[in-house]
Amino acid sequence: VIADRIEAGSFLVAGVVTQGDVLVTHCQPSQMEVVLDKLRATGAVLDIGADWVRVRMTGRPKPVSIRTVPHPGFPTDMQPLMGVLLSVAKGTSTITESVWDNRFRYVDELRKMGASVQVDGQVAVFEGVEKLSPAPLRASDLRAGAAMVVAALMADGTSEIEEIGHIERGYENIVEKLRGLGADISKVERMPAALEQAM
C-alpha cells in the first residue's frame, strides 16, 4: 500500500498557510508532483527527498489557477485544501472542478471566516484576503473537514469544527500529528446542539 498522498499534501498545505516549516516523512513525492508544483507556484520553498518533503513559507501565497483532473493530474481531493490556501493568496485565483459535483460545499464555511469566494457552476474564484477570522465550522465531508482544520489553524482565535467523524475516517491521529507541529488543537466531546436544545 503506497503512502497517502492527500494526507501528506494536507500537512504541506497547513505548513504553507501558517507560514511554517513542515517536514512530511514516509511519503512518496513522485506521486505528488502536480501538487508540489502548485505549492511551488504559490511561493513555497520545497526540499524533496526519496520519501520526504519539507515545505517552508514566508509571507502570503501567490495566486494560482487549478483544474482538477483524474490521476495523474491535480487530485480533486486536494482541491478544498488548496481553496483554503488560495483564500489568503495575494490576488485572484481560480479552481475549476472537473471531477466531482458539489465539491465546493466548503466555500460557505470559508465565507464565515471572511473569505471572498464566488462559485459559478464548477468554477470558484478566490479574491485573497489578508487573513481569516475564527468561526464555528462544519466538516461536510472528509476533505472539506480537513480544509476547515487547516483554515482554523491560520485564523487568530478559536474555531470549533463539528461533524469531525468525516475527518477521522481519513486522517489517523490528526490532532496528535498537528500538535507535534506546534498547533493548539484539541478534540472535545460534547453533546450535539440539537440534543442539547431538546433537553
Side-chain angles (χ1 to χ4, degrees):
V1 177
I2 67 169
D4 184 341
R5 66 192 176 123
I6 306 303
E7 182 181 19
S10 300
F11 287 109
L12 294 172
V13 169
V16 172
V17 300
T18 58
Q19 298 182 26
D21 184 342
V22 173
L23 174 66
V24 177
T25 60
H26 302 90
C27 63
Q28 291 180 291
S30 61
Q31 298 293 316
M32 304 168 53
E33 288 176 357
V34 68
V35 172
L36 299 178
D37 287 345
K38 286 298 178 183
L39 290 177
R40 253 190 224 101
T42 69
V45 176
L46 300 176
D47 298 312
I48 301 170
D51 65 350
W52 57 269
V53 178
R54 179 183 179 195
V55 66
R56 287 168 286 149
M57 185 69 172
T58 53
R60 286 173 60 194
K62 297 174 188 169
V64 297
S65 293
I66 293 170
R67 180 180 189 84
T68 65
V69 290
H71 186 73
F74 194 92
T76 184
D77 281 352
M78 281 298 299
Q79 188 260 98
L81 292 141
M82 289 299 288
V84 168
L85 186 156
L86 299 178
S87 71
V88 294
K90 263 188 182 174
T92 304
S93 302
T94 60
I95 296 179
T96 303
E97 176 55 60
S98 65
V99 179
W100 295 111
D101 292 333
N102 299 320
R103 191 53 129 174
F104 291 120
R105 290 184 296 175
Y106 68 94
V107 165
D108 289 337
E109 301 301 299
L110 275 181
R111 287 186 187 127
K112 290 181 193 175
M113 303 180 83
S116 176
V117 190
Q118 299 301 318
V119 177
D120 184 8
Q122 296 302 99
V123 178
V125 179
F126 295 78
E127 294 291 342
V129 297
E130 194 166 331
K131 64 180 183 173
L132 298 181
S133 301
L137 304 167
R138 183 177 146 274
S140 57
D141 62 54
L142 169 58
R143 303 309 173 185
M148 291 306 94
V149 170
V150 170
L153 289 174
M154 71 169 148
D156 289 333
T158 303
S159 296
E160 291 185 8
I161 304 169
E162 294 188 336
E163 299 181 42
I164 62 169
H166 293 297
I167 303 166
E168 292 178 317
R169 73 180 175 82
Y171 293 84
E172 187 177 15
N173 301 321
I174 188 168
V175 170
E176 292 79 5
K177 289 175 182 175
L178 288 171
R179 271 199 201 133
L181 291 170
D184 182 3
I185 182 172
S186 58
K187 177 181 170 181
V188 295
E189 298 294 334
R190 109 171 172 215
M191 191 179 299
L195 187 57
E196 200 172 322
Q197 288 174 351
M199 297 179 85

